Amino acid sequence: MLLSRDDLTVATGWALKPEGLCRDDVCVPVRDRAALERDGAISLRAVAEALGRPLALEADPSVAVLGEAPADLGAALGTGRAPNFSLPDVDGGTVELDDFAGRKRMISTWSSWCGCRWDLPKWQQLYEQFDPEEFVILSVALDEDAEAVRHWARDEPTEPLTYPVLVDREHRVAELFGVTNVPTTIWIDEDGQIVRPPLIAPADNEFEDFTHIDAAVHNDALVAWVRDGVTPFADDAVQERLSAPTEAEQLARAERRLAMHLLRSGHEDAAHRHLERAMELAPEDWTIHRGSMTIRGKDPFGQDFFDFWNDWEARGRPGYASA
């Protein structure tokens, strides 16, 4: 895909300058400008290679997604600080993680295609034990279906949820924190440091036969942290669990993002091709595999899911860490 200089800047924020590709105060040297710029047009693929970023391309219609560089995400996580994000909530507002700076925060990821959709009122029961000025739950649905998210957040609970429920159609939180399955929680302290990295954490033991996880372990630890400041991991243990994604994982996320854009714009065949590519690249990422079952005409609660589950369990339940 070729772009003009102006279109490149509008689409990506990067500009080609004498010193290289530049955005804000950052410039990346370009060793082979001839490969980058051809007859006044700039190759997006060459830009992606120069920046070390994944690129998902579709020729018809001509559209592309330039993903985040694995090294950049790894460097951000290496600081131990929680990256800020902004997402729409189910009531039409916009919520940022940093809106709650100075409080302990738990990000709880879930989806309408997961039994963890039943967790929302159970998290509410736990949430009511705490002072909302000291602790907040940010419920983040990694879900394409915003209406389904709203149903489970507003119509299904018998009592109102008082914590924010956000919709992440682009899986941005998954990308920033390295979430590959739900329900996953992440704990962030008052200063914005991650004190519990992404790990599987159901709200109760309704599905313990499947998860092999005792929810009480997580919930008791959460109470100890919020009330008494007892952190579950030493700093070095947190850092060990906050790692950069692989190039394949990041390309898979770009392919998924492109597929969703194509699907929303009515290009179903192209969307399915890119979903298949995303699944090939990230075979352990449930947010891609199970998360796309409905889109692919499969049942995320039926035999299609159990076939996927049995294959995953036979391979040793990879990526399903909890503690």
Side-chain angles (χ1 to χ4, degrees), residues 148-160:
V149 174
R150 179 173 175 77
H151 169 78
W152 287 100
R154 293 290 178 256
D155 301 333
E156 191 66 31
T158 56
E159 298 294 332

Side-chain angles (χ1 to χ4, degrees), residues 87 140-143 166-174 256:
L87 290 171
V140 177
L142 304 175
D143 208 305
L166 315 180
V167 184
D168 187 359
R169 296 176 77 194
E170 303 299 335
H171 290 200
R172 182 61 174 154
V173 167
R256 181 208 166 273

Side-chain angles (χ1 to χ4, degrees), residues 212-230:
H212 302 175
I213 295 171
D214 182 358
V217 175
H218 171 272
N219 294 349
D220 290 347
L222 180 67
V223 171
W225 174 58
V226 175
R227 291 184 175 167
D228 303 319
V230 179

Side-chain angles (χ1 to χ4, degrees), residues 3 54 81 90 142 191 222 235 250 257 279 311:
L3 300 175
R81 292 195 61 80
V90 293
L142 304 175
D191 299 320
L222 180 67
D235 290 345
Q250 275 307 98
R257 196 164 291 159
M279 290 188 292
D311 177 66

Side-chain angles (χ1 to χ4, degrees), residues 104-108 122-130 134-138 163 185-189 195-196 201-203 214-233 323:
K104 291 183 172 76
R105 289 153 281 179
M106 183 183 85
I107 299 172
S108 174
K122 297 164 187 175
W123 288 129
Q124 177 67 31
Q125 294 171 12
L126 188 65
Y127 183 52
E128 289 172 356
Q129 300 181 30
F130 307 117
E134 296 179 357
F135 170 72
V136 66
I137 293 175
L138 292 172
Y163 54 80
T185 64
I186 305 152
W187 300 359
I188 301 162
D189 71 12
V195 297
R196 186 181 191 271
D214 182 358
V217 175
H218 171 272
N219 294 349
D220 290 347
L222 180 67
V223 171
W225 174 58
V226 175
R227 291 184 175 167
D228 303 319
V230 179
T231 55
F233 298 111

Side-chain angles (χ1 to χ4, degrees), residues 175-186:
E175 183 173 54
L176 288 173
F177 291 91
V179 174
T180 59
N181 203 346
V182 293
T184 289
T185 64
I186 305 152

